Structures are given as structure tokens and as C-alpha cells.
Amino acid sequence: MTESRKGFDVEVKLHGNQHNSTKKSKTSRREKASLLGHEDAIATNEEAIADGAESDESDSPDHKTFSKKRQLPSVGPEEDSEHMEANPSDKMDHESGEESLGVHESHIHNLIVTTKAYATAKALKPFAHRLTTESTILFLQNGIGVIDEVNEICFPDPETRPQYMIGVNSHGLKQRNAFDVVHAGAGTIALGILPGTGSARPLIDAPDSSRYLLRTMVRVPVLVAVGFAPTELLQQQLDKLAINAVINPITAILDIKNGNIDHNFFLKRVIRLLLAEVSLVIRSLPELQNVVNVKMRFDPRRLERLVWSVAELTAVNESSMLQDVWAQGQTEIDYINGYIVKRGEQLGIHCVVNYMLVQLIKARGVLVNKEKEGLLPFGSVAKF
């Protein structure tokens, strides 16, 4: 089933200087989609709409449907579009030259970030000045640890930081291009407002934008979104992290579908060693020491059952890390297994299996890139 949505106002931030802002683009919608990158941060003035999500346009009488179509600027072959933002309150002036291409100064109330974890800080930095303490950023991404980078690069002053929200997504999505997303599997989204992010204020003092965004997301039926307290949300993040720490790197290294990790005695040995490290680190985290039954929740045997369950449900799918390796060589490994290694070092735990997988994934990315560039002597035998 194909469902089309249109009528959004967008602004596209371009890299490079080769463009003509005074001429209307005749590029077709499909061509524009192929030119735009898939790692986009999307925002509206009062709400942001994630890839593949439906908007509840009747949520409030004060929020009207904006159907004005904004003409996208023409994109040359050497230009790389990195960031797309929808903001119905802005007006793009195509007659003012280069600076008119999406560089607006209006306040962003809510921003949903769906980029790959490693691209988040770079994508947010050009728009950091448009986010205030009354703004809310929702991170819908794999892995953990990106917020530390965002704080360091985009919002170093705690007194001027926006409010952060985290989403743990179990929906299966496959993006064919910037404007075409396949809902490959129904799931849920766990949402939570992080305490102590915006101006170090308590959770009860979160800005109105946070409550509005949370309420809007929960009321969209297709998302199956539910709000959670910060501690429970962290546990759900770690559940997903443990699953991704097994399925993603193993399938990417062996170039196999998710279901192929099951019924393999040798892989089970590796997976159990891997989960032993993951479990030990998670159960030792200081932020979980006062949580009831945390030892049982993150027991290696329970985590292993979760891995087999997800591998069976997604047996015919290729993991996101395998797709990333073949697409561009860069992956989110530093925010999955790399996070386990980092926290293990802080706790005095040496996670050698996770460290090895991090290095193997990065090595695989290098090899894929070299193969694409034709630098490896495939098809001939080297003589020594």
C-alpha cells in the first residue's frame, strides 16, 4: 500500500557554491529525492514529523494544515544536500542570492532528528542558534552517546541548551530515497523527556514544547508511541543496544541476513561471549544501581533470548549496519559496541570481544570503500 503526503514547506541546506537561486528548478520530484541525502533532520515550527510518520493535523485548532508548496532550489552534480527542514512559518526568498537557500533565523520549537548517530552533531550545528531553552529536540536513533557529542559541539553552555527527548524505535523502516520510506515492520516507539538537559532544570519544569511534542507523538496511531519515565526509558535503550550489539556487527562482518545467525553453533559461542561483556557492563552502570531487578533484566540468558527473538522476527531483513557498510563504509558501531567499550573502560572492565568487533567493522568499511574505488587487486594473483 502506498500512501502519499504532500503540501510541506521545506528548506534545503546545500554545500557548495554552484547554484542559481534566481531560477526555478525544473527537477522532477523523483530526481530531487535522489539528490537529497537520507540523513535529514526534520522540523516544523510547532511540531516535527519523523520519516514515515503520519501527522495529526487535527490535534489543535491553532495548528492549520499548510499546503503551500515551496520550490526547491536546483541542485548541481557537485552539490551534496545534507539537511532538510520543514518550517511552515518561514518564507523563502529566491531573489536574495545564496544566503536565501534555507538559512533562516526563525525559532525552532520542536526538532526530530533521524540522522545516523555519527552525523548528528554536524547536522545540528548550523541550526543550533535557532534552538533555545524553550525548544525540544527528539533523538530517534540507534545507539547511545550522541547527546554528549551534541552538548560538546552544539550546546556547550548548559544554561542555553534546549530540552532533550529520546525515542526508542522498534518499527522496521527502509528508506529508498529522501521522500520514499517503506514501513517494513510494525513496532512501537518508547519516548521520554530527559531530566537536567535544558538549563539543568528538573523534569517537572520541562518547556511546553516538550509536552506538546510528546502528546502529539503519542496521539499518532501508526507510531504506537508511549511515554516513559527516564530510568525506564534508559533500560529500554539498553535492551535495544544489547540486541544491536549482537545482530548488527555479526551480520555486517559475515554479510548475512539477520535470520542466518540462528542455528549456528559456532556463532552462538561468539554471541554468548559478547553478551557476557554487554551484560556485565550494563549491570555495573551507576545510573542503574538503585533500579529493582536490574540484575535479572540484563542477565545474559535473557538478553540472548531477546536476540534470538528479534533475529527470528527479522530473519529476511538486512541489518542497518550491513546496509551502511555497503552504502558508505561508515556505521554507528561507535555508538553501539563502542559505547559498551567506553563505559567498560570507565568501570574498569575490559571488553575485548566488543573492542574486536568495533575494529573489524571499521576494517570492513575500509575494504568496501577500497573495493568501490578499484584499489584492491581482485581477479589477479599477487606474486611475491
Side-chain angles (χ1 to χ4, degrees):
M1 297 176 60
T2 300
E3 182 176 353
S4 299
R5 297 275 175 165
K6 60 184 180 179
F8 298 104
D9 286 346
V10 302
E11 55 178 85
V12 181
K13 181 175 176 60
L14 301 175
H15 287 292
N17 297 320
Q18 297 181 5
H19 61 271
N20 186 353
S21 62
T22 61
K23 296 182 179 180
K24 292 185 177 181
S25 170
K26 296 183 180 179
T27 308
S28 69
R29 184 175 183 274
R30 182 171 296 275
E31 289 171 338
K32 293 170 186 172
S34 65
L35 290 171
L36 289 171
H38 69 281
E39 295 169 352
D40 303 322
I42 304 176
T44 66
N45 197 36
E46 284 295 334
E47 69 177 299
I49 303 172
D51 291 342
E54 293 184 3
S55 63
D56 186 355
E57 297 171 346
S58 62
D59 179 64
S60 169
D62 295 331
H63 296 85
K64 301 178 181 179
T65 302
F66 291 87
S67 60
K68 176 184 175 183
K69 296 181 180 179
R70 177 169 293 162
Q71 182 68 45
L72 293 176
S74 58
V75 182
E78 298 182 3
E79 295 171 338
D80 175 28
S81 176
E82 172 202 1
H83 203 92
M84 180 180 72
E85 179 191 0
N87 196 327
S89 67
D90 293 344
K91 294 181 179 179
M92 179 177 289
D93 180 10
H94 290 286
E95 304 300 329
S96 59
E98 178 176 349
E99 295 184 357
S100 68
L101 290 179
V103 186
H104 296 207
E105 300 301 325
S106 63
H107 172 51
I108 297 175
H109 295 283
N110 288 304
L111 182 70
I112 296 180
V113 180
T114 60
T115 66
K116 294 294 183 179
Y118 55 79
T120 303
K122 180 181 177 182
L124 275 177
K125 189 172 177 60
F127 300 91
H129 66 284
R130 297 171 60 180
L131 296 157
T132 70
T133 56
E134 297 303 313
S135 304
T136 299
I137 304 177
L138 169 58
F139 297 92
L140 272 174
Q141 303 168 298
N142 284 331
I144 306 178
V146 69
I147 288 180
D148 293 334
E149 291 185 2
V150 170
N151 285 341
E152 180 181 353
I153 297 174
C154 303
F155 308 105
D157 184 2
E159 296 301 318
T160 60
R161 283 175 191 159
Q163 181 69 54
Y164 297 149
M165 289 178 60
I166 294 292
V168 181
N169 175 40
S170 63
H171 288 278
L173 300 174
K174 184 176 181 180
Q175 190 163 18
R176 294 190 288 201
N177 56 54
F179 299 117
D180 192 350
V181 179
V182 176
H183 193 184
T188 63
I189 297 180
L191 299 170
I193 303 173
L194 296 189
T197 54
S199 301
R201 59 185 145 199
L203 189 59
I204 194 174
D205 293 332
D208 292 339
S209 61
S210 300
R211 286 187 285 270
Y212 172 81
L213 182 57
L214 180 60
R215 182 175 67 250
T216 302
M217 294 286 289
V218 169
R219 293 178 64 181
V220 178
V222 71
L223 296 183
V224 197
V226 181
F228 289 92
T231 302
E232 175 58 29
L233 184 70
L234 175 60
Q235 293 179 77
Q236 295 204 32
Q237 278 186 281
L238 293 169
D239 273 339
K240 184 177 180 181
L241 183 78
I243 296 169
N244 286 342
V246 174
I247 295 178
N248 280 13
I250 290 179
T251 56
I253 291 171
L254 298 179
D255 198 7
I256 58 178
K257 294 184 182 295
N258 294 352
N260 290 338
I261 71 170
D262 201 3
H263 307 298
N264 188 316
F265 173 75
F266 303 103
L267 274 182
K268 283 188 176 181
R269 286 184 167 184
V270 175
I271 289 171
R272 285 172 179 169
L273 288 172
L274 181 58
L275 287 176
E277 289 183 359
V278 172
S279 172
L280 180 58
V281 170
I282 292 177
R283 290 186 295 170
S284 302
L285 293 176
E287 51 264 45
L288 296 179
Q289 293 311 297
N290 296 325
V291 177
V292 179
N293 294 328
V294 70
K295 303 295 183 183
M296 293 296 298
R297 176 165 184 164
F298 295 102
D299 181 82
R301 289 168 293 184
R302 176 185 173 271
L303 295 179
E304 186 177 351
R305 289 194 296 271
L306 285 178
V307 169
W308 300 135
S309 174
V310 172
E312 182 179 355
L313 290 173
T314 62
V316 298
N317 295 349
E318 296 176 344
S319 70
S320 60
M321 190 168 292
L322 174 58
Q323 296 177 48
D324 289 342
V325 164
W326 280 113
Q328 55 200 3
Q330 190 171 6
T331 70
E332 297 176 299
I333 191 69
D334 286 329
Y335 303 90
I336 301 175
N337 300 80
Y339 177 81
I340 296 296
V341 173
K342 177 182 177 181
R343 295 307 302 268
E345 290 176 348
Q346 295 172 354
L347 298 167
I349 302 171
H350 299 291
C351 301
V352 293
V353 180
N354 280 274
Y355 181 82
M356 180 184 67
L357 288 180
V358 171
Q359 307 311 311
L360 286 175
I361 287 295
K362 292 182 177 181
R364 180 78 197 280
V366 171
L367 292 175
V368 168
N369 286 335
K370 285 186 176 181
E371 181 179 350
K372 289 181 177 180
E373 296 170 1
L375 298 180
L376 291 181
F378 290 111
S380 62
V381 179
K383 297 182 180 180
F384 296 94

